[in-house]
């Protein structure tokens, strides 16, 4: 098992989240119209999730500007929009570079609990390319 230390909301030294709590938080934040959630740990890793309610981008970075990876769905086709970032920007992503919202929650919980992605997800290097939507 790989350990990465406790994860908390980015910019907060507050509550360390368990995997299940993080999964529930993603659902609650969507319910509260907050589509972007960022966790960090003491090792400097960042775990960012942005959702449109159906699909989510899930990105893991080794530090703010470090190399990263994202979850992918190689069988998905098309693209989806409505990914509202905390800075007000709304993005679109190829569905291939996103996963179903429930898969995202499961993967985030597993990463927080075990420090690795679950075996059943596909991981690709880098952050997914986004396209800013017209507002």
């Amino acid at each position: 098992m790989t350990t990465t230390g406790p994860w908390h909301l980015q910019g907060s030294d507050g509550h360390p989240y368990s995997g299940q709590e993080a999964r529930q938080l993603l659902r609650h934040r969507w319910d509260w119209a907050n589509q972007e959630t960022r966790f960090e740990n003491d090792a400097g890793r960042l775990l960012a999730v942005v959702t449109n309610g159906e699909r989510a981008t899930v990105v893991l970075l080794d530090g703010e500007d470090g190399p990263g990876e994202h979850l992918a769905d190689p069988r998905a086709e098309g693209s989806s929009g409505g990914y509202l970032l905390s800075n007000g920007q709304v993005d679109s992503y190829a569905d291939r570079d996103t996963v179903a919202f429930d898969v995202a929650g499961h993967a985030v919980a597993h990463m927080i609990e075990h420090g690795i992605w679950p075996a059943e997800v596909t991981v690709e290097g880098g952050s997914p390319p986004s396209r800013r939507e017209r507002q």
Side-chain angles (χ1 to χ4, degrees), residues 36-60:
E36 183 176 16
T37 305
R38 292 174 167 258
F39 297 98
E40 64 183 352
N41 68 11
D42 295 337
R45 298 181 93 189
L46 301 173
L47 181 56
V49 180
V50 181
T51 184
N52 66 2
E54 294 180 21
R55 301 191 67 78
T57 63
V58 181
V59 179
L60 178 66

Side-chain angles (χ1 to χ4, degrees), residues 9-10 25-26 29-30 33-39 47-52 57 83-89 93:
L9 287 175
Q10 185 178 25
L25 179 67
L26 293 175
R29 287 173 67 92
W30 168 253
N34 191 336
Q35 294 175 245
E36 183 176 16
T37 305
R38 292 174 167 258
F39 297 98
L47 181 56
V49 180
V50 181
T51 184
N52 66 2
T57 63
Y83 295 89
L84 176 63
L85 304 179
S86 58
N87 66 5
Q89 179 175 317
Y93 294 93

Side-chain angles (χ1 to χ4, degrees), residues 60-71:
L60 178 66
L61 300 170
D62 288 326
E64 191 73 43
D65 296 319
E69 58 192 28
H70 70 280
L71 299 186

